[in-house]
Amino acid sequence: MFLDEVTVTVSGGKGGAGCIAFRREKFIPRGGPAGGDGGRGGDVIFRATTAENTLLRYRYRRSLAAENGRPGEGSERTGRSGESLVCPVPLGTQVFDEDGVHLLADLVDEGQTFCAARGGRGGKGNAHFKTATRQAPRFAQPGEPGERRVLRLVLKLLADVGLVGYPNAGKSTLVSRISAARPEIGDYPFTTLVPNLGVVDAGDDRSFVVADIPGLIEGAHRGRGLGDRFLRHIERCRVLALLVDVSSHEGRDPVEDLATIERELALYDERLAARPRIVVATKTDALDEPERLARLEREAARKSVPFLAISAVRGEGLRELVGRLARIVFETPRTADPGDNHSGREPR
Ligand SMILES: Nc1nc2c(ncn2[C@@H]2O[C@H](COP(=O)(O)OP(=O)(O)OP(=O)(O)O)[C@@H](O)[C@H]2O)c(=O)[nH]1
Ligand SMILES: [Mg+2]
């Protein structure tokens, strides 16, 4: 199972109440106020970790509350602070406000944390309120409530290369040939329902991550097919590989397919239109009309976009593809736009 957006309520722990107490000791009459302070409430903290791959653990646990602080005690003893609640999230999780408009945190590094709700301060005990004219204060402060808010968590996978194309273009097959990932492959559209990641060995002890996302069709930005909701997972890719099936299996035209994919990308986010890319013609082993491949290649040249033809089934062109992707990946910084406000929801 994979879940990439969820709304949660976070509540910091309440501060413990201050204590009202007086010193009672032998030989010290009227010992004076001795009520200790309440403990602080715990915080709710999100922490990015590679141990998580999805936000699934929050599907049935939407209310995240840290422990309350303990009340203060006599003899000026401070109450114990509440434990903070540390909530693990996958790398690439963005924290938005309830409306999904303001980005509050972008957790991209292992161990990076964000304090989502602070615990309340503990109340002061009556020991604090003694003055020259008020020797025996019979009051103390209550603890402060913890912060409470509704937040929207949105996962955007951190892959280097995003594979985009029509359903059945051969995206999952390619991933299964160049990485150890074993996504499902099928000769029907929408075999892939959720994104998969694969780690590709690029030689020289270097590797990069490819994201295989569900296929796009015309009108995806309006929600057709599986829509564009998985495109957020390629928002941060350094390079996009646009896969186009050049066999005539699907009865479509490769040049039109490429135009449709480009259009859907731009309609989702025009910044994607400027991302480095490579056009990859797939299934050359099943090429029954060579002119289809030639036309696609000419179209890529016309747009000055690098082009490569492969057959994942025969393993042709894969080394060259990995090499070219690696070169672009290692030369291009990651696009992690901090002002990024694509939470999947339109501002209200
Ligand atoms: N002849 C041939 N068939 C291929 C090649 N690559 C993939 N296929 C076939 O094309 C079909 C679709 O492949 P997938 O890898 O599932 O395609 P996809 O792009 O991941 O499809 P969705 O997940 O539905 O978006 C399968 O039947 C594959 O066996 C290839 O290089 N040559
Ligand atoms: Mg697939």
Side-chain angles (χ1 to χ4, degrees), residues 22 32-33 125-140:
F22 294 91
N126 69 342
H128 280 275
F129 299 108
K130 181 181 170 183
T131 61
T133 53
R134 193 170 60 204
Q135 298 280 323
R138 292 189 177 280
F139 58 88

Side-chain angles (χ1 to χ4, degrees), residues 3-340:
L3 183 72
D4 60 3
E5 49 179 292
V6 68
T7 302
V8 292
T9 304
V10 290
S11 344
K14 185 176 183 311
C19 171
I20 303 169
F22 294 91
R23 267 174 89 185
R24 288 179 203 283
E25 282 173 54
K26 227 174 172 181
F27 311 119
I28 308 182
R30 300 192 191 177
D37 301 343
R40 237 181 75 81
D43 301 331
V44 178
I45 293 167
F46 290 116
R47 184 171 192 280
T49 166
T50 50
E52 297 287 316
N53 299 316
T54 112
L55 294 170
L56 196 59
R57 69 161 65 221
Y58 302 107
R59 177 173 209 168
Y60 299 110
R61 198 177 161 219
R62 301 233 165 151
S63 174
L64 306 170
E67 201 188 15
N68 294 336
R70 303 285 305 156
E73 293 176 29
S75 309
E76 299 196 36
R77 281 199 301 267
T78 302
R80 189 168 64 74
S81 294
E83 293 267 356
S84 287
L85 181 69
V86 179
C87 307
V89 293
L91 262 52
T93 300
Q94 295 189 326
V95 184
F96 287 87
D97 63 359
E98 183 175 6
D99 294 335
V101 176
H102 297 108
L103 178 67
L104 308 176
D106 190 7
L107 302 171
V108 294
D109 295 318
E110 171 72 30
Q112 193 182 341
T113 57
F114 170 65
C115 180
R118 293 208 169 278
R121 268 199 327 216
K124 287 187 165 53
N126 69 342
H128 280 275
F129 299 108
K130 181 181 170 183
T131 61
T133 53
R134 193 170 60 204
Q135 298 280 323
R138 292 189 177 280
F139 58 88
Q141 273 179 342
E144 283 181 358
E147 233 180 318
R148 181 186 169 90
R149 53 182 168 167
V150 177
L151 298 175
R152 194 167 152 79
L153 305 181
V154 177
L155 171 62
K156 293 181 184 175
L157 295 175
L158 296 176
D160 301 299
V161 178
L163 303 184
V164 216
Y166 262 84
N168 271 346
K171 302 177 292 296
S172 302
T173 308
L174 174 61
V175 168
S176 74
R177 294 303 303 263
I178 62 176
S179 78
R182 290 291 170 264
E184 198 179 332
I185 291 166
D187 61 357
Y188 50 90
F190 300 115
T191 310
T192 302
L193 297 174
V194 297
N196 300 295
L197 294 183
V199 179
V200 181
D201 180 357
D204 298 334
D205 281 338
R206 296 204 291 187
S207 61
F208 60 85
V209 177
V210 288
D212 167 23
I213 65 165
L216 279 186
I217 57 174
E218 175 151 27
H221 69 283
R222 282 184 271 112
R224 279 195 66 206
L226 288 179
D228 60 4
R229 73 179 228 84
F230 293 108
L231 279 179
R232 73 160 72 112
H233 295 295
I234 59 159
E235 265 177 41
R236 315 209 229 193
C237 290
R238 296 173 221 242
V239 49
L240 303 179
L242 310 187
L243 270 63
V244 182
D245 181 350
V246 288
S247 74
S248 43
H249 287 167
E250 305 286 334
R252 286 189 315 262
D253 178 67
V255 173
E256 279 169 25
D257 279 6
L258 177 62
T260 305
I261 296 299
E262 298 256 19
R263 200 163 49 237
E264 293 298 328
L265 287 176
L267 284 169
Y268 173 76
D269 183 341
E270 69 264 10
R271 286 173 301 179
L272 280 183
R275 197 64 47 87
R277 64 194 50 218
I278 175 166
V279 173
V280 180
T282 63
K283 309 191 191 179
T284 52
D285 57 282
L287 184 63
D288 29 21
E289 298 166 42
E291 179 54 20
R292 294 167 67 85
L293 174 62
R295 284 182 50 232
L296 184 64
E297 182 163 13
R298 281 199 300 274
E299 177 65 6
R302 194 181 65 78
K303 296 180 159 184
S304 311
V305 178
F307 175 86
L308 191 66
I310 64 165
S311 162
V313 162
R314 290 215 186 123
E316 287 162 7
L318 302 186
R319 272 180 72 109
E320 159 112 40
L321 177 61
V322 168
R324 283 168 72 171
L325 292 174
R327 233 169 294 139
I328 309 178
V329 166
F330 298 125
E331 283 167 11
T332 320
R334 182 183 299 287
T335 315
D337 186 345
D340 191 340

